[in-house]
Amino acid sequence: MNKSFVSAMALSILSAAALSSSTALAQSAYDQQFVNYPTYSGADLELSVDNSGTHFRLWSPKAQQAVVLIYNTGHGGDAIENIKMDFDPATGTWSASSPDKLYGKFYTFRVLYDGKWLDETPGVWAKAVGVNGNRAAIVNLDNTDPNGWNADKGPKVDNFSDVIVYEMHHRDMSMHPSSGIANKGKFLALTEPSTTSPQGLATGIDHLKELGVTHVHILPSYDYNSVDEANPQFNQYNWGYDPLNYNAPEGSYSTNPNDPESRIREMKEMVKALHDAGIGVIMDVVYNHTADNDGSNFNLTAPGYYHRHWDDGKYSDASGCGNETASDRLQMRDFIVNSVKYWADEYHIDGFRFDLMAIHDIDTMNEVAAELKKINPSIFVYGEGWTAGDSPLAPERRALKENVSKMTDIAVFSDDIRDAVKGHYTNAADRGFATGKPGQEETVKIGIVAATAHPQVDYTKGNNSKFPYAKSPEMIVNYVSCHDDLMLTDKLRKSMPEESDSVRQAAAKLAQTIIFTSQGTPFMFAGEEIFRDKQGVHNSYKSPDSINAIDWNLKARNIDLFNYYKGLIALRKNHPAFRMTTADDIAKHLVFDKIDAAKTPNLISYSLKDHANGDEWKEIKVIFNGADKAQSVKVAKGDWKIVAIDGKISPDADLGATKGGNMTIAPYSALILAKTGR
Ligand code: CA
């Protein structure tokens, strides 16, 4: 899905109304019809199996009749049974039972609505599905658990600023012949130990361990619509932002999409392998819209209810994909909350990244975070704090970036630091602070302090945000690139066309040094640590593997860059000063040096003082030079050890010593110094 105009759109909407509280929370005329709908969120929704047999319970308050059809196969063939369902007006549900345990069978529902039988649907709660997700499957989930699953646990997270996120797509990581991975494009790819590139360097899960990230964020891995699972030989690629069945894994990532247990078991095996490696698994979830409108499973069960509409009855489209869901309606809110709880419980998922989170309302997101915390306090929830179009949901109710302080235990992406560091995402040629564009300093500083209130940061000069919207650094995810828009390598090539790749790599190092030393949670895109590119394709959501797959030969070629990323990550992990947990701490311990940006642009210098956040180092000096020429900064006299200089980094501060004074910083580079003594 193309979200390339998202931020600009969100901003224009925001400036108009985001923080006005005068708008009443009145429901629209369209909403009125649902006011008295009964709701039901029991765990037996749609399917349950116990000793008395197999039980179906479909929520569809306005249906006139409902049936469940039983099949022997996941596609093709006629129904072997057609069971009439009985209505319970108190819960709005239709139920039917079979005295047998129907494991191995498949089912669909059909409802009579407005005098018309709608198409068959697997429902909205199918936890297992046949090929291409058209029929739900009846499986015993206990049979899908890998060995040792009961003892499986993700990494414990004390503070979300300790998390280091690596965003990846299953096919990107493993499809290239140089990956050395056998299960290419599959969940199982990340279960393979000791895979190497042709030059003998680690790939796959060993590469992740070597790099040191704490969590992988996997692009949509629920069952999505666009890849034909029945024809894997076509090698189709899609990011997966076109949800079909929210509670079952995508079949094309399994070794056998025809076997409903295969995708479940293999995804769990992936999670377990990552957990065994100490790495958490975050899922990208897209509850904000469905792939189809009238033909979506939501509409085939309870027409009109789950999506928002304008008062004229037309679908509203804040997702830019044709529709948007209605988290503000109770049954939809329960669906989202229970769905993430299911993934956390059944698949041991460690975090959720909400696509276009601002389509959801604040109350829903708060309930999501609160319920997940009960299951596992280490679960990290963050999202895109914007929409891709206008919504009937009032702006003050939206889970917008600017509303993040109204939420608890939720973080948002900082488009502030993203655009200020590398240049605006809508203009390929635009440069940023790290690539020589002046005037970005204050917005970068907003990123450095994680959008919290800081006495030395002037928010009126911010490009994207004009006030400190985060109450805590744990509300902010910092990044320069992700799957959307030009990824870092391509952005650097387009915006620095006259430069060599070695100069661009210097800029890449600087850009990521800013991200990984900033307060908040750092986030990176898979493969940028080895200077992977996507041949300049900014919206590669259905581009072939030849564009999207990571060429692991690049690791040997760009090993210096890889080692720099590794060093940056180790530095951050070893030093809590970069991971403060309160705005007060940041205001007190992070002190910017006075630099006149009008006279010496592209220069930022600050200190993390007095063993910030319990750091063993007394003071850390962080200096960024984003200009194409060397610049000098006056550093207070003292016994400094050098942590990073001119494209080199040592987490142990082993790059020499200096007494301070006037220090020169190479073009497009960071200088980090430490007073290591007590
Ligand atoms: Ca699918």
Side-chain angles (χ1 to χ4, degrees):
M1 99 189 214
N2 187 344
K3 293 179 286 178
S4 52
F5 64 104
V6 162
S7 295
M9 183 65 97
L11 284 169
S12 63
I13 294 164
L14 269 172
S15 54
L19 298 159
S20 84
S21 55
S22 57
T23 316
L25 301 185
Q27 281 166 313
S28 70
Y30 183 86
D31 274 326
Q32 293 301 329
Q33 64 181 304
F34 303 118
V35 166
N36 293 318
Y37 262 45
T39 58
Y40 184 81
S41 67
D44 64 336
L45 257 181
E46 299 197 0
L47 176 73
S48 60
V49 182
D50 60 24
N51 285 334
S52 68
T54 303
H55 314 287
F56 302 94
R57 185 195 282 269
L58 180 70
W59 185 80
S60 185
K62 298 292 170 186
Q64 294 152 319
Q65 286 187 53
V67 296
V68 58
L69 302 158
I70 311 294
Y71 292 88
N72 278 327
T73 54
H75 72 113
D78 295 328
I80 54 170
E81 262 193 283
N82 182 332
I83 313 173
K84 196 169 175 303
M85 305 179 88
D86 297 319
F87 187 55
D88 169 26
T91 57
T93 60
W94 296 80
S95 49
S97 283
S98 161
D100 304 313
K101 289 185 180 178
L102 298 176
Y103 288 133
K105 305 292 186 202
F106 297 80
Y107 65 93
T108 61
F109 299 106
R110 279 193 87 177
V111 302
L112 181 71
Y113 184 84
D114 261 355
K116 194 180 137 205
W117 282 99
L118 304 184
D119 289 345
E120 287 177 60
T121 169
V124 302
W125 260 105
K127 293 170 180 164
V129 292
V131 68
N132 283 327
N134 294 321
R135 290 178 189 162
I138 305 171
V139 306
N140 185 348
L141 287 170
D142 291 343
N143 293 343
T144 62
D145 292 348
N147 285 337
W149 187 242
N150 285 341
D152 173 76
K153 250 193 204 149
K156 186 172 178 288
V157 176
D158 293 323
N159 301 298
F160 296 129
S161 45
D162 298 344
V163 170
I164 297 171
V165 183
Y166 186 90
E167 184 200 42
M168 55 151 278
H169 184 280
H170 299 290
R171 290 182 79 94
D172 292 20
M173 282 296 281
S174 55
M175 283 307 293
H176 199 277
S178 62
S179 74
I181 291 170
N183 290 287
K184 290 188 168 54
K186 307 297 180 192
F187 291 125
L188 291 181
L190 287 179
T191 67
E192 294 180 37
S194 310
T195 58
T196 57
S197 69
Q199 297 79 20
L201 299 175
T203 63
I205 191 168
D206 283 7
H207 173 82
L208 297 174
K209 285 199 267 187
E210 186 185 5
L211 184 59
V213 294
T214 67
H215 287 65
V216 292
H217 152 161
I218 49 175
L219 259 62
S221 299
Y222 52 73
D223 181 27
Y224 58 79
N225 189 53
S226 50
V227 167
D228 181 2
E229 300 173 3
N231 287 291
Q233 72 277 16
F234 296 148
N235 271 326
Q236 302 152 80
Y237 182 101
N238 204 283
W239 282 345
Y241 292 90
D242 52 341
L244 186 59
N245 292 295
Y246 284 99
N247 300 300
E250 162 61 15
S252 66
Y253 299 144
S254 75
T255 57
N256 184 5
N258 289 293
D259 169 10
E261 287 186 8
S262 156
R263 60 181 77 191
I264 301 172
R265 182 182 304 113
E266 291 169 13
M267 185 165 172
K268 288 178 176 176
E269 284 178 12
M270 177 199 76
V271 171
K272 181 159 190 311
L274 286 161
H275 284 175
D276 288 347
I279 298 170
V281 181
I282 296 167
M283 255 178 75
D284 194 338
V285 289
V286 189
Y287 296 105
N288 66 71
H289 76 281
T290 50
D292 207 341
N293 289 0
D294 291 348
S296 64
N297 293 326
F298 282 140
N299 264 311
L300 293 176
T301 56
Y305 180 86
Y306 290 104
H307 293 95
R308 293 196 189 114
H309 299 69
W310 297 111
D311 282 346
D312 62 6
K314 290 204 176 79
Y315 283 96
S316 55
D317 185 21
S319 72
C321 296
N323 62 69
E324 66 181 279
T325 56
S327 62
D328 45 324
R329 287 182 208 135
L330 199 54
Q331 189 73 17
M332 183 64 204
R333 177 176 299 166
D334 280 354
F335 177 80
I336 295 173
V337 171
N338 289 326
S339 179
V340 290
K341 282 171 71 179
Y342 172 70
W343 285 102
D345 268 331
E346 185 66 31
Y347 290 84
H348 304 177
I349 295 297
D350 306 285
F352 297 90
R353 175 268 191 196
F354 276 74
D355 187 66
L356 298 179
M357 184 169 72
I359 291 177
H360 306 314
D361 65 293
I362 289 169
D363 292 344
T364 296
M365 291 313 302
N366 278 333
E367 197 173 321
V368 161
E371 288 297 316
L372 288 172
K373 211 177 181 68
K374 289 181 197 164
I375 296 172
N376 175 4
S378 294
I379 290 176
F380 182 33
V381 180
Y382 56 99
E384 293 182 307
W386 47 73
T387 68
D390 198 8
S391 167
L393 185 71
E396 66 268 22
R397 296 186 67 191
R398 297 178 195 168
L400 285 162
K401 180 183 87 169
E402 283 75 359
N403 290 337
V404 70
S405 289
K406 296 179 187 167
M407 296 186 263
T408 304
D409 293 323
I410 307 253
V412 290
F413 285 103
S414 169
D415 58 345
D416 306 273
I417 200 166
R418 179 195 70 196
D419 293 344
V421 167
K422 78 169 196 295
H424 202 266
Y425 74 99
T426 56
N427 177 359
D430 188 41
R431 292 193 180 193
F433 172 87
T435 46
K437 184 182 181 182
Q440 309 305 299
E441 296 80 8
E442 212 63 24
T443 307
V444 173
K445 285 161 74 176
I446 291 174
I448 290 169
V449 301
T452 59
H454 190 285
Q456 293 174 289
V457 178
D458 181 359
Y459 277 83
T460 64
K461 292 182 186 160
N463 293 340
N464 295 4
S465 305
K466 298 292 183 194
F467 74 105
Y469 54 86
K471 274 194 307 201
S472 149
E474 296 194 85
M475 294 181 163
I476 295 297
V477 175
N478 289 314
Y479 70 126
V480 278
S481 89
C482 66
H483 69 278
D484 269 326
D485 309 318
L486 286 177
M487 54 86 55
L488 187 57
T489 306
D490 285 331
K491 176 68 174 174
L492 295 169
R493 287 190 177 141
K494 296 243 183 196
S495 61
M496 307 174 90
E498 74 288 0
E499 299 288 4
S500 65
D501 267 355
S502 79
V503 172
R504 295 180 191 124
Q505 286 194 14
K509 287 177 179 175
L510 172 60
Q512 293 294 11
T513 308
I514 298 171
I515 298 301
F516 279 85
T517 53
S518 286
Q519 305 298 319
T521 301
F523 169 108
M524 62 177 291
F525 180 53
E528 54 194 16
E529 72 280 14
I530 58 173
F531 216 55
R532 160 264 183 111
D533 68 78
K534 293 199 283 183
Q535 298 173 43
V537 178
H538 73 95
N539 187 16
S540 66
Y541 75 103
K542 60 173 185 181
S543 299
D545 294 321
S546 56
I547 300 289
N548 280 306
I550 296 171
D551 176 357
W552 291 93
N553 289 299
L554 292 169
K555 188 169 177 181
R557 201 173 308 155
N558 300 310
I559 192 70
D560 167 69
L561 182 67
F562 172 76
N563 285 330
Y564 190 89
Y565 270 78
K566 203 173 128 184
L568 258 181
I569 290 169
L571 175 68
R572 185 176 177 89
K573 281 169 125 177
N574 293 348
H575 289 281
F578 301 111
R579 302 182 269 118
M580 287 186 255
T581 58
T582 68
D584 279 355
D585 239 14
I586 296 172
K588 212 162 129 192
H589 294 282
L590 194 158
V591 180
F592 289 99
D593 296 308
K594 284 199 177 62
I595 290 172
D596 184 348
K599 284 185 188 147
T600 49
N602 300 92
L603 197 60
I604 291 175
S605 172
Y606 69 89
S607 275
L608 299 165
K609 289 197 168 179
D610 304 324
H611 302 283
N613 200 23
D615 205 291
E616 63 171 299
W617 289 347
K618 186 171 193 306
E619 182 174 347
I620 305 174
K621 177 70 74 184
V622 184
I623 309 170
F624 304 129
N625 176 18
D628 62 356
K629 59 176 195 297
Q631 302 205 78
S632 65
V633 168
K634 203 168 175 182
V635 175
K637 295 264 196 255
D639 289 321
W640 296 99
K641 288 187 177 165
I642 299 175
V643 179
I645 187 166
D646 197 10
K648 292 182 287 297
I649 190 164
S650 162
D652 302 321
D654 268 351
L655 296 174
T658 172
K659 295 282 182 196
N662 262 331
M663 297 205 60
T664 301
I665 302 111
Y668 306 125
S669 80
L671 176 67
I672 302 177
L673 309 171
K675 280 185 187 162
T676 58
R678 284 270 131 196

